[in-house]
Structure formats: structure tokens, C-alpha cells
């Protein structure tokens, strides 16, 4: 088989299959909505999908369905509906888009969404709690909080065997057992521990693959765009977490990326500057936003988004199938905590990425909608600059609200950033030549 | 462990009110609270005392108190965030910036700083402070699932972790006996604050809104023993005041759980209505009854947090839907209306406003909605709006 023929089959397969899985997922939700079947509303940081899939519950990730409205250019209408309902322009756009979808009876650009039979949330983002309270009031459905204590102080994580860690783990385990009880009530189905082991096994395959995927992008040239391709991978990682389809997808994705690394096949542009992205993408102009960087030969080789929005999959925690519930508690604690660390202590994450991935610049994108991610970015950037002297760009906009996205201003800043990168590189090159 | 520095709790950090008439004593209280100098804390430090800063909302002050430290409520201040501004981006509430400003500018040095995951913005603070100061800057993970059977055990352990940290910082062992002694002091303080609010609800004409606020706020910036002295001296004198009720509407203020409205805004409201109840600095009044003294003190504190506590938009508890709690507060205070305020850019406050308005609409209770910022200086338009709201109610 020629390289061209292999390329035809392999290169780009992850994006094609990811898109197909997305369509399947939303078709299932549409069908559930019309059948009146139960569905769980969950969030990307600590979805507990391993448990929900054990009960065959379809899952709605409102963060993902909301961002889809921005990518599909219908978010602004939904934001207006929610604001007419009393919600402030200054709160999370994901919440408002979802509220509007609920007010409209679940009508969504990708199909109808079912109502929640229960919602499951962690405290990884406080807005999760406020958001679920809205559904609780709208529908009177159970709201289950899984409170996962995070790192208390930068660099101060504790691990298995430490008394403080064990106290946190016990707390999470009690809550997971309570969630199982609620799922039994909602679905009328007894918890099947062997089925649970199966979902954990699939999740293990996925997290192993996810970790490998991130490592593979250390290649030069990098093999996937952490911003655009990464968003597709994130969708599958969340929606299909703990499923056979998800596990298969990621094994095949790793195969594709390993092939690209082996054959020196990079992203679709010539890689001149290797960048990392810190924050949440600008979905209202998603494609254009990326082009503002790729036009200069800038490629995103990683992002904190791939860490926290995967619920800490990057950590690579694999469940012990012999002790599944206790292990799920430990894994949730470690992974979700890691997700939180990559937001609150992003400077540490960025420092590691710079070293491991050979990064030329850091792009910070704080957004109006998400204070969890954005509040510490300016300070983190100051700290990172002091520690490493690396070039960085700080641009503010939003992930949903096009009213605060100014493409022209953004372009000016991005152009200036690349001009700076280029001028920094010139003396270095001149030095080498001399 | 290193022997502790001599306790400074017997020294007085706020002597100015003593020996004065009630009005003059209250004036001194207002001056202390309005000032961004936090003179009481400076005096505490000058006497060799250590300071444990704790960000809004609730905090088990007893634990650091038992280590001989001053629990200082970090609640922002009316200052320009000249140094802090560059540490933050846009779309953020003011209290984050002015709180950091207090520390960066050296106005209020601290030996430790604790924040809580109360909201998306504030939960970043421990990391931000930690990058800028050498002293411990940590998150105290108060449970966000108080409905779980595991929450009290978990919180007891988290309080024990705080105890160990406070011991390390203060160099003083925190015995159970010391904790019980601190709980006694704070139980008394909470009892006195409940009495103050009883006066606000039952005879609001006896105390101006801003005076009541100043009396509460002082709790967060001076030793509680001394604050207990202040309240137990002034409250009986307030009750004895010869003042007559006026024809004003009775209003509950909701939205002061974290960032504080400017002092002048409270003063303005107090001129227009009777503020008969509120959630201003609710963290200082978070526990609604005495913490038991028998048994394990840390478990008792944890139990009280879960089982005997108030409400706010930053704590989810299935047993305490916020709209129902607000309606109870309004009913309990015999209020005619509510002011639903939110600090600018305060996500939980702004989200809760929607729920509150729907609940009050349903209950047929009038309300006035507003946003504020701690550094606001002009209130003329707001005052006119409030007056119009009040007139509508009075002459409806």
C-alpha cells in the first residue's frame, strides 16, 4: 500500500469518525427526547459517565450543546432569550444558551434535547451548581452534587496513603454510592457491578489513549491542532466516556497520530511557531480565530483546555477493576483535582508544557463567561513571564457572546505578537549564522 | 513547638468608643469601618499579634482564634487597586482586586490567608495570593454537598487540617480545651449579633442601618472578646434610646454576602427605609445557634456548619432553597419589600437575582433590583430610584 493510500484511510480519520460519533450521540438524544426517556445532565469536569453508562442513561453535556450553538452561529439569539428572562449579560453564556434551549422545549441546532431525569455535577466549577439549581427549579428533578476537594495550595497535592487524601477519598466514595442509589431510583434498575467494571475498563482505555495522544504532539511537526482538532477529541472523550465506542475511537486515533509522527506528517500548515493555548476557545468565530494564528504559521501543540475539559484524562489514572467503587472515588478525586489545577495553577502546567513540547509562545484567552478559568490568567502570566521569559499574548473575549468579540482588535494584537516572535527569533538566527 | 508570643487579646485595639455617649461611640465605630486603614488590625500587629486573613463568606474563626491569632475577614475595601489591577483581567468583581491590594500594599500584612471555593472567581484567590506571598495561602474546602452523609466527617477532617496549619503558623498547639474556650467566646458573639438583629427587626427606629452594619463589620477586624465587650455595652444603651417609629417601609436587603456595598449606600438606604434584615457579612453570622461545648470541638463546629447555618447563593443545600429562605427572612422580619442587590460581575449573586424575582413575583412581594460596586461614589440616581420605589409602595 502506498503512503498516499494509507494517508487516505488514516490521516483525518479521527476528525471524520469524531463527527460521525457526534451525530450519533445527538441522534440518540433526539430520539430519547421524543420517546420521553430518561437522560442525565452532566458536566465535563467529573461527569460520572462511568456510572451513568452502567445504567444506560443517555447523557447531555450542556457545556457541549451550548458551545455548539456558538459554533453554529445561533448563540446570540439564545443569549437574548435568556437575558429577556432576567439573566444578566455578565454571567456565563453557556448557562444562558442552555436556559433558552430549555425555554424552547429542548430545540437545539443539532436536534432536540431530552429533559433531565437527573443532573450530576461536581464543584469543579461553581457555576455547575447554580446551573443545576435552574433545572432543579424548572423540572423538579434530582440534583446530585459530587463534591470533590481540590488542591489546597499550589504544589501541595496529597496522594494515596496520606491521611488528608484518604479523608477526601472517603468523602467522594460516600457521594458516589449515594449517586448510585439515586440512579437506581431514577431508572428503576439495580446497579450491576460487572457492567460498571466494563465501563471502567473502557474509560481506562480512553484515558491511556488520551495521555498518549498528548505526548505524541511533542513531535515536530506537531500532528494535531490542540485547539480545533482537540475540541473534536474532547467531545468524544466526554460524550463517550466509559463506552466501547469511545475506547475504540481513541485507540484508532492514537493509531492515526502514531502513523503521522512516524511519517513526519504535521498539521495542514507549515509549522513555524509552536504555541500553547491557555483558556477556553473563542467559539463565536472559531475557525477564523484559529486562522489568525495559522496564517502566521502558528500551531497549537497543546492547551490547558485539553486537560481540564477532559476532566483530567491527561492524568492517565486507570481504575482498579477489582475494587471498582473505591477506585472510581480515587480516580475522580485525582483526575478532577488535576483538571482544577490546570485552571487555578495554569502557570505550573504551562511551564511543564514549555519544557516538554518545545514551545515558542503562550496564548492566554480569558473570557467573560468563565471566571473559573479566567480569573487567575493575568497573574499566572506575570508569574510565567518572570520564571521563563517566554513570549505570551493576552486577549480577552468570550466563548459564546459575539458582542464582546472584536476580530479586528484581536487581529492587531495577534499580528503584533507574531511580529514579536519573529523579531525575537531573528537575532537568535543571526547569532547562529554568525 | 515554639512557646507562643504573649497573648495580646487583653490589649485593646479599639479603645476610642469607651467612655463616650452612645452617639459618639457609634460614630467611632463607623469611622473604624469606613476607613481603609484597618487600624484595629495594625494595633493588633504592633502588639505582636499574628493575623489569619480569611476571605468571604463563612470561616471557622474559632480554630485560628484558639491559636492566638486574629481572624481578619478579608472583604475588600474602598481603595483603588493600583497594585492589584495588573494581576486580574476584565469582567471580575471589585472585591477580588481590593482584597489583594490590601495585602500587596502592606496595609494589612497577614501570616496566612485562607479562601473558599465560594464562586468561580474567588476560588482562584489562593493560587493568585500564593504566587505573590511567601506565607501560606490555601483553600479551605467547605463542603458543597452538605446533603451527603459523609459531609460532617469530611468537614471535621478539613477543620483538623486547618488546625494543623494554624499550629504551624502560630507556633502554638491548639488543644481541645483552647478550642472550647474559643467556641464559648464566639457563641457569645453570635448571641450578641442575633440580639442586634432582633433590635433591627423589632425596633428598627432605635438603630440606623449604617450603625448596625458598623457594629457587625467590626467583628471581622478586632478580637472577639473586645467585640463582645463593645456589643454588650452598647446594645442595652441602644434599647434604652428615646426614639419614635417613623412612617417608613420595612425592607430586607439581599445581596451583601460577599462584596460589600459602599458604606454610603447603606447610609442612603437607611435614610429612606427601615432595613429590618439583610445578608450583609452573613459569614460573621453564619451559624444560627450555639455550637455545642460537649464532645469533640471540631466535630461540633463541623456539625454546626452543616446543620445550624444560614444560607447564601454560594452554598447549595437541598434543604435550603434560596428563594424559600429569602421569603422566610422577609416574613420573619415583617418586611414589606426587598432590595435585591448584586455586586457587579458577581456570577452567583446575579444568577440568584433571577430566582428571587420570580419567587417574589409569585408571592406578590415588591422588590427593587440593583447592582453595586464597593467603590461606587455617586448615589444620587440610585437614591432617586429607591425613593420612587418607596413612594410607589407608600401611596399605592
Amino acid at each position: 500500500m502506498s503512503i498516499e493510500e494509507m494517508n487516505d484511510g488514516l490521516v483525518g480519520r479521527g476528525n471524520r469518525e469524531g463527527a460521525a460519533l457526534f451525530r450519533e450521540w445527538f441522534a440518540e438524544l433526539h430520539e430519547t427526547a421524543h420517546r420521553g426517556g430518561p437522560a442525565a445532565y452532566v458536566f465535563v469536569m467529573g461527569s460520572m459517565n462511568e456510572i451513568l453508562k452502567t445504567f444506560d442513561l443517555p447523557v447531555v453535556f450542556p457545556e457541549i450543546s451550548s458551545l455548539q450553538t456558538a459554533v453554529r452561529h445561533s448563540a446570540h439569539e439564545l443569549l437574548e432569550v435568556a437575558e429577556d428572562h432576567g439573566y444578566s449579560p455578565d454571567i456565563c453564556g453557556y448557562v444562558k444558551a442552555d436556559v433558552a434551549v430549555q425555554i424552547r422545549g429542548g430545540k437545539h441546532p443539532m436536534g432536540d434535547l431530552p429533559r433531565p431525569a437527573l443532573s450530576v455535577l461536581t464543584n469543579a466549577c461553581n457555576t455547575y451548581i447554580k446551573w443545576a439549581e435552574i433545572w432543579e427549579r424548572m423540572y423538579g428533578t434530582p440534583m446530585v452534587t459530587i463534591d470533590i476537594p481540590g488542591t489546597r495550595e499550589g504544589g501541595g497535592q496529597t496522594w494515596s496513603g496520606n491521611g488528608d487524601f484518604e479523608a477526601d477519598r472517603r468523602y467522594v466514595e460516600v457521594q458516589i454510592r449515594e449517586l448510585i442509589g439515586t440512579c437506581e431510583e431514577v431508572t428503576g434498575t439495580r446497579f450491576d457491578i460487572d457492567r460498571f467494571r466494563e465501563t471502567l475498563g473502557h474509560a481506562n482505555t480512553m484515558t491511556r489513549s488520551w495521555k498518549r495522544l498528548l505526548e505524541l504532539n511533542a513531535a515536530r511537526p506537531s500532528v494535531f491542532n490542540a485547539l480545533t482538532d482537540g475540541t473534536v477529541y474532547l467531545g468524544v472523550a466526554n460524550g463517550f466516556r466509559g463506552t466501547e465506542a469511545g475506547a475504540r475511537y481513541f485507540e484508532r486515533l492514537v493509531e492515526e497520530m502514531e502513523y503521522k509522527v512516524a511519517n513526519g506528517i504535521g498539521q495542514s500548515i507549515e509549522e513555524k511557531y509552536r504555541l500553547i493555548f491557555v483558556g477556553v476557545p473563542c467559539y463565536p468565530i472559531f475557525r477564523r480565530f484559529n486562522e489568525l494564528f495559522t496564517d502566521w504559521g502558528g500551531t497549537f501543540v497543546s492547551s490547558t483546555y485539553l486537560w481540564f475539559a477532559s476532566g483530567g484524562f491527561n492524568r492517565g489514572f486507570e481504575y482498579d477493576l477489582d475494587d471498582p467503587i473505591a477506585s472510581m472515588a480515587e480516580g475522580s478525586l485525582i483526575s478532577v483535582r488535576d483538571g482544577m489545577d490546570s485552571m487555578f495553577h495554569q502557570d505550573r502546567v504551562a511551564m511543564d508544557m514549555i519544557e516538554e513540547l518545545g514551545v515558542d509562545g503562550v496564548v492566554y484567552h480569558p473570557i467573560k463567561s468563565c471566571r473559573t478559568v479566567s480569573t487567575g490568567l493575568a497573574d499566572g502570566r506575570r508569574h510565567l513571564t518572570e520564571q521563563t521569559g517566554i513570549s505570551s499574548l493576552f486577549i480577552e473575549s468570550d466563548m459564546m457572546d459575539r458582542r464582546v468579540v472584536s476580530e479586528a482588535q484581536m487581529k492587531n494584537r495577534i499580528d503584533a505578537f507574531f511580529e514579536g516572535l519573529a523579531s525575537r527569533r531573528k537575532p537568535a538566527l543571526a547569532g547562529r549564522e554568525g | 513547638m515554639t512557646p507562643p508570643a504573649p497573648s495580646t487579646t487583653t490589649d485593646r485595639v479599639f479603645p476610642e468608643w469607651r467612655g463616650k455617649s452612645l452617639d459618639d461611640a457609634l460614630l467611632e465605630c463607623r469611622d473604624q469601618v469606613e476607613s481603609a486603614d484597618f487600624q484595629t488590625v495594625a494595633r493588633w500587629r504592633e502588639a505582636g499579634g499574628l493575623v489569619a486573613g480569611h476571605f468571604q463568606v463563612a470561616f471557622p474563626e474559632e480554630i485560628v482564634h484558639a491559636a492566638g491569632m486574629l481572624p481578619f475577614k478579608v472583604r475588600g475595601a474602598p481603595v483603588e487597586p493600583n497594585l492589584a489591577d495588573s494581576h486580574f483581567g476584565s469582567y471580575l468583581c471589585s472585591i477580588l482586586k481590593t482584597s489583594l491590594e490590601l495585602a500587596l500594599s502592606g496595609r494589612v500584612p497577614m501570616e496566612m490567608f485562607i479562601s473558599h471555593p465560594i464562586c468561580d472567581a474567588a476560588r482562584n484567590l489562593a493560587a493568585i495570593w500564593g504566587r505573590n506571598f511567601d506565607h501560606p495561602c490555601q483553600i479551605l474546602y467547605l463542603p458543597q454537598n452538605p446533603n451527603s452523609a459523609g459531609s460532617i466527617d469530611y468537614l471535621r477532617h478539613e477543620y483538623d487540617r486547618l488546625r494543623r496549619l494554624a499550629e504551624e503558623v502560630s507556633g502554638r498547639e491548639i488543644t481541645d480545651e483552647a478550642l472550647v474556650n474559643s467556641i464559648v467566646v464566639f457563641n457569645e458573639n453570635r448571641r450578641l449579633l442575633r440580639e442586634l438583629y432582633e433590635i433591627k427587626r423589632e425596633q428598627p427606629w432605635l438603630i440606623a442601618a449604617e450603625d448596625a452594619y458598623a457594629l457587625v463589620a467590626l467583628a471581622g477586624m478586632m478580637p472577639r472578646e473586645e467585640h463582645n465587650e463593645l456589643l454588650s455595652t452598647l446594645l442595652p444603651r441602644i434599647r434604652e434610646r428615646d426614639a419614635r417609629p417613623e412612617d417608613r417601609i420595612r425592607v430586607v436587603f439581599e445581596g451583601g454576602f460577599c462584596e460589600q456595598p459602599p458604606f454610603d449606600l447603606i447610609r442612603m438606604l437607611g435614610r429612606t427605609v427601615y432595613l429590618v434584615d439583610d445578608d450583609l457579612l452573613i459569614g460573621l453570622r453564619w451559624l444560627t445557634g450555639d455550637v455545642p461545648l460537649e464532645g469533640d470541638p471540631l466535630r461540633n463546629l463541623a456539625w454546626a456548619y452543616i446543620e445550624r447555618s444560614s444560607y447564601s447563593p454560594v452554598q447549595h443545600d437541598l434543604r435550603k432553597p434560596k428563594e424559600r429562605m429569602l421569603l422566610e427572612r422577609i416574613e420573619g422580619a415583617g418586611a414589606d419589600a426587598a432590595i435585591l442587590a448584586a455586586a457587579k460581575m458577581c456570577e452567583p449573586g446575579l444568577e440568584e437575582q433571577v430566582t428571587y424575582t420570580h419567587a417574589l413575583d409569585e408571592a406578590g412581594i415588591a422588590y427593587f433590583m440593583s447592582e453595586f460596586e464597593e467603590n461606587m461614589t455617586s448615589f444620587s440616581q440610585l437614591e432617586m430610584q429607591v425613593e420612587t420605589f418607596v413612594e410607589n409602595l407608600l401611596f399605592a
Side-chain angles (χ1 to χ4, degrees):
Chain A
M1 188 184 286
S2 70
I3 286 181
E4 287 72 24
E5 282 168 330
M6 281 195 72
N7 283 356
D8 281 345
L10 269 178
V11 176
R13 186 176 70 187
N15 282 356
R16 288 193 301 275
E17 291 183 351
L21 283 173
F22 245 73
R23 286 192 294 274
E24 274 176 37
W25 176 19
F26 276 80
E28 183 201 16
L29 294 177
H30 184 86
E31 188 272 327
T32 304
H34 287 270
R35 182 167 43 85
Y41 275 39
V42 300
F43 297 93
V44 298
M45 291 187 283
S47 65
M48 301 291 135
N49 215 359
E50 293 89 334
I51 288 170
L52 302 171
K53 286 300 170 198
T54 303
F55 287 93
D56 286 325
L57 275 164
V59 287
V60 175
F61 281 77
E63 291 154 297
I64 296 176
S65 48
S66 286
L67 81 83
Q68 285 295 329
T69 68
V71 172
R72 289 158 195 274
H73 307 294
S74 59
H76 58 283
E77 295 166 25
L78 298 171
L79 297 184
E80 279 172 23
V81 170
E83 286 169 15
D84 286 347
H85 202 68
Y87 288 94
S88 163
D90 296 324
I91 68 157
C92 171
Y94 280 173
V95 173
K96 286 187 287 186
D98 174 68
V99 164
V101 166
Q102 302 303 330
I103 289 171
R104 291 176 166 187
K107 296 285 172 207
H108 184 276
M110 292 184 70
D112 297 347
L113 300 180
R115 286 182 168 199
L118 83 160
S119 60
V120 183
L121 56 131
T122 67
N123 59 316
C125 162
N126 286 58
T127 297
Y128 288 172
I129 301 173
K130 306 307 293 176
W131 199 342
E133 283 178 348
I134 295 172
W135 303 320
E136 190 185 31
R137 285 166 182 138
M138 272 183 174
Y139 303 117
T141 47
M143 164 180 173
V144 182
T145 308
I146 308 289
D147 187 11
I148 299 183
T151 298
R152 282 18 181 237
E153 188 169 25
Q157 293 91 339
T158 55
W159 303 98
S160 182
N162 174 287
D164 292 337
F165 180 89
E166 293 305 327
D168 290 353
R169 196 202 55 73
R170 281 194 299 275
Y171 179 40
V172 176
E173 183 174 337
V174 169
Q175 296 174 86
I176 286 176
R177 290 181 187 280
E178 288 167 346
L179 169 64
I180 290 170
T182 306
C183 289
E184 286 183 327
E185 279 170 32
V186 167
T187 61
T189 308
R190 293 276 296 171
F191 178 64
D192 179 344
I193 195 129
D194 291 323
R195 184 77 200 287
F196 182 48
R197 283 195 177 93
E198 268 177 47
T199 68
L200 292 183
H202 294 316
N204 282 348
T205 304
M206 292 173 75
T207 190
R208 207 163 39 240
S209 304
W210 188 266
K211 195 162 183 278
R212 176 72 182 136
L213 189 66
L214 300 185
E215 287 164 359
L216 285 168
N217 232 21
R220 284 178 183 270
S222 57
V223 288
F224 69 90
N225 182 326
L227 193 70
T228 52
D229 303 326
T231 298
V232 177
Y233 310 156
L234 276 171
V236 180
N238 283 299
F240 292 84
R241 188 178 179 122
T243 65
E244 192 177 353
R248 174 94 180 115
Y249 172 82
F250 276 101
E251 281 179 328
R252 285 166 64 79
L253 184 61
V254 167
E255 184 188 21
E256 175 190 342
M257 296 306 153
E258 283 180 337
Y259 171 78
K260 289 179 77 172
V261 171
N263 291 280
I265 303 169
Q267 299 186 31
S268 56
I269 59 156
E270 187 194 343
E271 182 171 279
K272 290 184 186 162
Y273 302 103
R274 292 167 66 85
L275 308 173
I276 55 171
F277 183 82
V278 181
V280 179
C282 181
Y283 288 119
I285 55 164
F286 192 35
R287 184 185 296 177
R288 181 65 191 138
F289 182 75
N290 180 55
E291 285 169 357
L292 293 174
F293 296 92
T294 55
D295 285 351
W296 284 87
T299 55
F300 289 106
V301 297
S302 196
S303 71
T304 56
Y305 196 47
L306 289 177
W307 287 35
F308 63 78
S310 68
F313 248 3
N314 55 287
R315 168 59 63 179
F317 182 91
E318 294 193 33
Y319 300 116
D320 175 2
L321 305 189
D322 291 332
D323 191 7
I325 296 178
S327 185
M328 170 93 188
E330 183 173 348
S332 301
L333 175 57
I334 287 174
S335 303
V336 174
R337 187 180 70 181
D338 198 74
M340 291 191 259
D341 285 346
S342 60
M343 299 184 291
F344 309 139
H345 302 287
Q346 19 66 35
D347 53 312
R348 291 167 186 264
V349 175
M351 235 174 288
D352 289 345
M353 285 181 179
I354 290 166
E355 199 176 308
E356 288 161 16
L357 301 173
V359 170
D360 299 303
V362 182
V363 176
Y364 290 89
H365 184 238
I367 50 172
K368 179 182 78 165
S369 273
C370 185
R371 293 172 177 92
T372 311
V373 175
S374 306
T375 302
L377 294 193
D379 184 73
R381 181 198 189 200
R382 281 174 63 115
H383 192 70
L384 187 73
T385 307
E386 281 167 15
Q387 297 288 312
T388 66
I390 195 160
S391 298
S392 63
L393 171 69
F394 194 84
I395 37 172
E396 294 184 288
S397 77
D398 199 45
M399 63 193 181
M400 290 292 286
D401 191 345
R402 67 181 190 186
R403 291 169 296 191
V404 294
V405 178
S406 167
E407 190 184 317
Q409 265 185 18
M410 236 180 224
K411 185 173 185 318
N412 283 341
R413 303 279 313 281
I414 292 168
D415 288 351
F417 169 62
F418 279 105
E419 282 159 13
L421 282 180
S423 64
R424 277 185 92 160
R425 192 170 274 184
K426 266 181 201 158
L429 284 174
R432 253 182 261 159
E433 282 159 10
Chain B
M1 287 200 174
T2 317
S7 169
T8 55
T9 52
T10 51
D11 299 332
R12 284 171 175 159
V13 301
F14 178 34
E16 285 86 350
W17 65 275
R18 292 173 191 273
K20 293 195 172 154
S21 70
L22 177 61
D23 285 346
D24 287 346
L26 289 171
L27 175 65
E28 295 292 350
C29 293
R30 291 198 301 271
D31 284 350
Q32 285 295 335
V33 172
E34 272 194 280
S35 163
D37 292 336
F38 296 95
Q39 198 180 25
T40 53
V41 185
R43 286 172 179 163
W44 170 268
R45 292 190 67 82
E46 279 161 21
L50 306 180
V51 175
H54 58 96
F55 193 73
Q56 298 273 36
V57 174
F59 181 70
E61 293 168 282
E62 288 89 339
I63 297 172
V64 294
H65 177 270
M69 301 177 81
L70 176 69
F72 169 63
K73 178 163 276 297
V74 179
R75 55 167 169 83
V79 294
E80 280 301 314
N82 297 322
L83 298 170
D85 215 22
S86 63
H87 294 259
F88 295 98
S90 311
Y91 311 119
L92 295 171
C93 57
S94 177
I95 185 175
L96 301 178
K97 301 173 193 174
T98 58
S99 294
L100 182 63
E101 182 73 18
L102 289 182
L104 287 176
S105 64
R107 280 173 192 258
V108 186
M110 300 168 204
E111 275 66 39
M112 59 188 273
F113 171 73
I114 303 289
S115 69
H116 322 282
I118 56 166
C119 73
D120 297 335
R123 64 189 313 179
N124 275 276
L125 285 183
I128 293 171
W129 284 55
R131 286 190 285 265
N132 289 281
F133 300 101
D134 292 332
H135 59 70
C137 299
Q138 292 199 1
I139 294 184
L140 180 75
Y141 266 93
L142 295 171
Q144 283 287 11
N145 187 3
N147 308 112
S148 169
S151 63
I152 293 178
D153 280 348
Y154 160 75
L155 184 56
R156 196 260 170 220
H157 191 94
E158 186 66 353
Y159 281 175
D160 187 55
R161 196 182 62 72
L162 178 65
R163 162 156 67 175
R164 282 178 269 134
L165 175 69
E167 284 179 336
E168 202 180 305
V169 171
S170 66
R172 182 189 286 199
E173 187 187 359
I174 302 176
T175 62
D176 281 1
E177 191 189 352
L179 277 170
V180 171
N181 289 339
S182 295
I183 291 171
V184 168
V185 171
F186 281 79
N187 275 348
E188 173 65 0
N189 191 250
R190 287 184 284 261
R191 185 191 68 72
L192 290 164
L193 289 172
R194 287 197 297 274
E195 191 183 332
L196 172 63
Y197 269 73
E198 200 178 282
I199 297 173
K200 271 169 68 93
R201 281 192 298 272
E202 293 174 2
Q203 296 167 290
W205 50 90
L206 292 182
I207 182 154
E210 67 271 23
D211 289 341
Y213 177 77
L215 287 175
V216 175
L218 278 165
M221 50 193 278
M222 63 192 284
R224 275 310 202 290
E225 293 86 343
E226 199 177 329
H227 190 247
N228 284 346
E229 269 187 80
L230 172 76
L231 289 184
S232 50
T233 306
L234 296 192
L235 290 182
R237 288 160 67 183
I238 290 168
R239 283 197 186 278
E240 286 163 9
R241 259 180 167 165
D242 184 23
R244 290 186 179 179
E246 291 175 16
D247 188 18
R248 296 195 201 180
I249 67 159
R250 299 166 61 89
V251 169
V252 161
F253 180 94
E254 196 81 4
F257 58 93
C258 185
E259 183 168 322
Q260 296 301 289
F263 202 81
D264 281 341
L265 175 59
I266 297 171
R267 185 178 276 132
M268 179 274 281
L269 291 174
R271 276 199 303 269
T272 318
V273 299
Y274 283 137
L275 278 190
V276 288
D277 206 345
D278 57 61
D279 66 346
L280 295 162
L281 294 168
I282 192 70
L284 292 168
R285 304 178 282 124
W286 187 253
L287 303 185
T288 54
D290 284 351
V291 177
L293 301 177
E294 300 297 321
D296 173 9
L298 290 181
R299 177 165 291 277
N300 290 341
L301 283 168
W303 174 84
Y305 179 84
I306 300 289
E307 300 292 345
R308 291 286 181 276
S309 53
S310 188
Y311 71 98
S312 92
V314 296
Q315 192 210 36
H316 176 75
D317 188 331
L318 294 168
R319 301 165 300 180
K320 296 189 281 190
K322 266 76 75 179
E323 61 274 38
R324 195 189 79 206
M325 299 306 289
L326 172 61
L327 290 170
E328 284 179 12
R329 179 172 278 159
I330 292 170
E331 192 186 353
D336 309 302
I339 293 175
L340 303 178
K344 284 186 192 300
M345 303 292 170
C346 169
E347 181 116 20
L350 290 165
E351 279 161 352
E352 214 63 66
Q353 268 190 333
V354 182
T355 312
Y356 287 154
T357 56
H358 291 179
L360 294 185
D361 280 339
E362 226 168 82
I365 296 170
Y367 57 86
F368 174 79
M369 269 176 71
S370 180
E371 287 184 31
F372 67 84
E373 195 168 34
E374 59 185 350
N375 280 331
M376 283 167 78
T377 50
S378 168
F379 308 99
S380 52
Q381 197 184 349
L382 188 60
E383 184 160 19
M384 199 167 67
Q385 289 168 343
V386 173
E387 280 170 1
T388 310
F389 169 71
V390 168
E391 279 167 18
N392 280 340
L393 286 178
L394 283 174
F395 304 113

